[in-house]
Amino acid sequence: MAEMAASKILEHDPGDASVYVTLSNMYVEAGKVGDALEQRELMKSKSVQKEPGWRLENLMQKIQNDSNNLAKTSVLYPELGKVTKDKCLFHSERLAVCFGLLNLPKGTTTMRVFKNIRICLDCHTTMKHISKIS
C-alpha cells in the first residue's frame, strides 16, 4: 500500500524527497534493506535532496544559545512541588511551530498558530525567539 501511495504522490511531485525517505524507512522496518537502499539510490540518480530536518530540541538549543532572556520555566506542577521545564518542551503550540517550520514552503514569512486557551509565558517567549532566529 505504501508503494502505491508513493507512486501516486511522485506522479504529481517527482521531486518530493519525503516520499523516498519515508518509503526507505518503511522498507528498513520491514527488513527489506535492499529496497531501502534502492530508494536512496533513486534519490541520488534523480538529484532529489532531502532538506535537513530540525528537531525541537535543536531549535531550543539555538534559542538558548541566542538569548539568556528565555523564561527559565513557567509551568508549576503543585503535585510535584517544583517547576519543571521539560514539560513545556512538548506543549502543542511549540510542536505546531516546529511542524510548520518543517512543512511550510521555504521562504514562508508568516505562520499563525491558533489556540483556544492562553499560551504559557515560556512558549510565548520561545516563539518570539524562533521568529528571530528562523
Side-chain angles (χ1 to χ4, degrees), residues 8 54 61-62 80 89 101 125 133:
K8 294 291 183 188
W54 282 19
Q61 186 62 47
K62 280 188 165 194
L80 300 176
L89 186 60
L101 288 172
T125 305
I133 66 173

Side-chain angles (χ1 to χ4, degrees), residues 64-130:
Q64 288 170 350
N65 290 341
D66 183 57
S67 173
N68 292 328
N69 295 329
L70 184 61
K72 300 260 189 268
T73 53
S74 60
V75 178
L76 179 62
Y77 289 91
E79 68 274 15
L80 300 176
K82 64 179 182 176
V83 177
T84 175
K85 187 176 188 175
D86 294 338
K87 300 285 184 186
C88 296
L89 186 60
F90 299 105
H91 281 177
S92 59
E93 51 271 271
R94 284 190 196 194
L95 296 175
V97 168
C98 286
F99 180 81
L101 288 172
L102 290 170
N103 291 290
L104 289 172
K106 196 171 190 164
T108 299
T109 58
T110 303
M111 180 189 320
R112 288 188 179 91
V113 176
F114 293 90
K115 190 169 164 76
N116 62 351
I117 59 174
R118 192 173 155 263
I119 188 171
C120 80
L121 176 62
D122 195 57
C123 288
H124 177 78
T125 305
T126 298
M127 287 185 197
K128 287 193 320 189
H129 288 283
I130 289 172

